[in-house]
Amino acid sequence: MRIGVLAVQGAFAEHISRLALLGTEGFEIRQRKDLSAPFDGLILPGGESTAMRRLLKELDLLVPLKTMIQNGLPVFGTCAGMILLAKEISGGEAPCFGTLDITVRRNAYGRQLGSFRCREQFAGSEIEMPFIRAPYAERVGENVTVLAQHENRIIAVREGSQLAAAFHPELTDDTAVCKYFLQMVAKSPLNVV
Amino acid sequence: MEDRYQLNKELAQMLKGGVIMDVTTPEQAVIAEEAGACAVMALERIPADIRAAGGVSRMSDPAMIRSIQDAVSIPVMAKCRIGHFAEAQILEAIGIDYIDESEVLSPADDVYHVDKRKFSVPFVCGARDLGEALRRIAEGASMIRTKGEPGTGDIVQAVRHMRKMNAQIRHAVSLREDELYEEAKRLEVPYALLQQVHDDGRLPVVNFAAGGVATPADAALMMQLGAEGVFVGSGIFKSGDPVRRAAAIVQAVTNYQDAKMLAELSAGLGEAMVGINESEIQLIMEERGK
């Protein structure tokens, strides 16, 4: 199993080291030619979504990656990655991939002084969740499953082959969310022969 | 507080692989954000102009910083003078995302730095070597940058600082455990932090390059030398075509190892900032705050 990690900006190294911990190969996607070898899943890491979307366009990565996601390539977005996937961004900003049927609010907890850690249930197990200038989902579409909430705000969702979290599981020792995604990849119709 | 420090180190992790740009107006902040900056540094005068103007240089007007906070959605940083904890308190009160306790401004205290552990807001500090870096981290800095020599457009000092710090880290890694005590004494740093460097082979916090970055090639050079991201001060808005140069430096940081792409990015950018050589400058800012 090979997982591509978008590496144009942000905390991509943390995702790759979590994958390595679970014995899975992760590789960096920095430009178009990095997409030439086949891969089984895609991670969109934390970072600044405005910087990433600009780089996705400049580096001609936006269209090919969007096509892959639409064709069912399993994708996992954390924080900025959740914003990149969202169909709608509250406040009127244009969406980036726009493939995940949620409305996301950026910097929903305010500036850095509003960043926090908590423990919440994620798909049946309690895990540590760091929120760094994090978003949350204000609205989810009817085909979207809510996987985690904090104080009645939606912070993790799944729609088909797309998984998104407002927090950063890659910054903790808990690999539950990463494992959940790798399960999605393993069960993906694209990868089951 | 431990939790807060961890969250502050983690915000720096989110900035990695990115470019933090000095801006003096909301208009410049918007240009920086659109070019792909991962954060902006709000200040009244960029280092090149501070150098030209002379006199005492202080924290920027909070109203000016607020206008930049209102203009962009990316993190906004601002500078306080070395040791000026009241300026730091003011910056924390307006909800700044990161404080740069910076040698670019006139130091307010020639002995003590700000006790950064007393703050909820994160701090980044400049360092020329491993000793300075670990002393700042001991005081509570959650991010480090090279000092370089701000406002010169000359990369030589940033290169010197990055190489020295990394050489010292490699040396610390090579030492036997019983030799670390002496090395901690020699570097004038807490033993526990040096031991962490010895075990991990890196600083305990994110380390950016700063000071003198003026071109995509400068940014790529610093990334190849081990910087985790880049601050660009005067280099963008002192150049002929800030919009193009800003975007080119952002892309150069992402693909810093691809010389072909760097060649394209470096082409037709217009005039770079003029720059001053080390031997021509009167005021050595890197000497401030050891």
Side-chain angles (χ1 to χ4, degrees), chain A residues 8-10 14 30-31 47-48 50-51 54-55 58-59 106-107 111-113 115-117 133 168 171, chain B residues 3-4 7-8 10-11 13-17 34 36 38 69 73-75 95 97 247 251 254-255 258:
Chain A
V8 294
Q9 192 270 322
E14 288 77 354
R30 291 177 183 269
Q31 50 179 277
E48 278 309 314
T50 52
R54 164 84 195 202
L55 283 158
E58 294 278 339
L59 296 163
R106 290 183 61 201
N107 301 336
R111 299 181 178 281
Q112 174 61 5
L113 287 170
S115 294
F116 63 98
R117 281 183 134 67
R133 286 174 47 98
H168 293 280
L171 296 178
Chain B
D3 223 26
R4 185 45 56 185
L7 289 163
N8 288 341
E10 288 168 352
L11 175 57
Q13 284 174 265
M14 296 306 141
L15 301 174
K16 283 190 300 179
E34 283 174 357
C38 66
Q69 286 175 316
S73 64
I74 55 179
D97 290 298
Q251 286 190 62
T254 298
N255 282 293
D258 185 334

Side-chain angles (χ1 to χ4, degrees), chain A residues 78-89:
Chain A
T78 57
C79 194
M82 183 183 200
I83 296 164
L84 296 181
L85 288 172
K87 194 163 271 178
E88 211 177 356
I89 300 172

